[in-house]
Amino acid sequence: MSEGPDRTAILTALDQVIDPKSGKGLTSAGLVRGLVLRGGRVAFMLEVAPADIEAYRRVRDQAEEVLAEADGVETAQVVLTTELQAPSAPQMPQLRVTPRRPVPGGASNPQHRAALPESPSQRRARVVEDPGAQLHPMVDAVKPPHVLKVIAVASGKGGVGKSTVSVNLAAALAVLGKRVGLLDADIYGPSAPTMLGVDGDPTFDEEKRLNPMVAWGVKVMSIGFIVEPGTANIWRGPMASSALRSLLNSNWGSEAEPLDVLVIDLPPGTGDIQLTLVQKLKMDGVIIVSTPQEIALIDARRAAQMFEKTGAPILGVVENMAYFADASGAKVPIFGTGGARAEAERLGVPLLAEIPIEVALREACDAGAPLVATTPDSPAAKAFLELAARLS
């Protein structure tokens, strides 16, 4: 049985393929990005400028041919993708000091001279955003082919159960008879493979698009299927964005059988991954997930503000870990109460669901068996099914 390909041997082999622009081998030219060795599978991204995409199609084919002949390689894939256009000038926020408060009377005021050497305590640092980097509605955004509806699940911070909501929402929609896809967009911390109990190497269609894996009636795509299990993805923002675009362009459906709903599990925050999605992907709406406590709600507001600025409608708020039911059935609000409902009212959107804390829910996620599919009568599963019904 083959031990799998050797990384050094693979890089050496790829240097036999010449980059037409630099005249160097692909490895020497720095074009072998995100190299993945998983069993007998080898893949990497060939990222070029948009204007060069046609010129590099033959280079991609040559690279795949070289990889296929290397020892230990059973499957070879090279993803040809375009790099993001660099801005014309650095879009960096600037740290400035607020101006001194003016003294009435200006220079004619005898206090004016004494006011000039303002003490440091009267000054305040602030970040001034570059006007050229401001967000605005993305008019060029489109949906993936044969996808009817796109719903993103977002949060401002980690640890609020956003992936739990995403996985169980997708599974609940499948229970309701919808053709559903789940895109795990957390490039640095993918969790969908574990929560859905699915593993393996995705195949490719004739257009070299990834074919999603299927679990519990859900088509699912995640970087976790591509990289080595347990491997840290130490990638800069552009590389992560390129990986996300490849996942997003997977083979989600066909003209005869389009996908009814694509659920996107976003990473926490408002960084590169979120910006890539709002720039490229037309979304039908966004669900904001939060716990009842104020520290989570503060970050949820930031996420909501980002999507509001880009024109993506906020469908509503989901309050996760809303309460714990004790042995008597009494609801114990461990993280507080009413916070997400008040935040939904502030945003002018509905509170879509209140998901209770359940040991069974945690166990189902760890076991890779969505609660809505295995224990549909549990309080949490009922809440997810009602959420799916409201959104379908």
Side-chain angles (χ1 to χ4, degrees), residues 210-389:
L210 288 161
N211 290 319
M213 307 293 284
V214 179
W216 305 97
V218 177
K219 292 183 176 181
V220 56
M221 181 49 64
S222 170
I223 197 70
F225 297 137
I226 299 173
V227 300
E228 289 285 350
T231 301
N233 296 337
I234 308 173
W235 295 346
R236 294 187 184 274
M239 188 65 213
S241 296
S242 292
L244 176 61
R245 290 197 298 274
S246 295
L247 300 180
L248 181 60
N249 292 328
S250 297
N251 178 22
W252 293 109
S254 65
E255 186 174 355
E257 294 186 350
L259 201 67
D260 292 317
V261 185
L262 176 62
V263 178
I264 301 181
D265 180 17
L266 291 173
T270 54
D272 284 337
I273 299 301
Q274 291 86 347
L275 292 175
T276 296
L277 279 172
V278 297
Q279 288 173 341
K280 301 294 183 183
L281 181 63
K282 183 178 181 181
M283 290 179 280
D284 293 276
V286 180
I287 298 170
I288 304 297
V289 179
S290 180
T291 60
Q293 63 189 129
E294 179 60 26
I295 191 64
L297 292 168
I298 291 172
D299 291 321
R301 290 176 198 131
R302 296 190 180 103
Q305 288 171 0
M306 183 191 75
F307 289 107
E308 286 175 339
K309 289 181 179 180
T310 58
I314 307 297
L315 298 178
V317 176
V318 170
E319 185 176 74
N320 194 35
M321 309 181 204
Y323 60 87
F324 173 76
D326 64 16
S328 68
K331 296 180 179 180
V332 181
I334 296 175
F335 296 109
T337 183
R341 184 177 297 277
E343 187 63 25
E345 292 176 355
R346 191 192 70 81
L347 293 171
V349 298
L351 179 65
L352 295 171
E354 293 175 297
I355 312 298
I357 299 173
E358 280 189 25
V359 173
L361 178 57
R362 190 271 302 167
E363 291 176 340
C365 290
D366 290 345
L371 194 67
V372 294
T374 58
T375 316
D377 291 331
S378 72
K382 288 180 178 178
F384 284 122
L385 288 166
E386 291 172 2
L387 171 62

Side-chain angles (χ1 to χ4, degrees), residues 143-151 170 173-174 176-182 217 219 252-263 284 391-392:
K143 294 178 186 177
H146 311 304
V147 173
L148 302 181
K149 181 185 290 187
V150 177
I151 297 176
L173 287 165
L176 296 179
K178 300 293 183 181
R179 287 190 289 261
V180 188
L182 174 65
K219 292 183 176 181
W252 293 109
S254 65
E255 186 174 355
E257 294 186 350
L259 201 67
D260 292 317
V261 185
L262 176 62
V263 178
D284 293 276
L391 297 173
S392 61

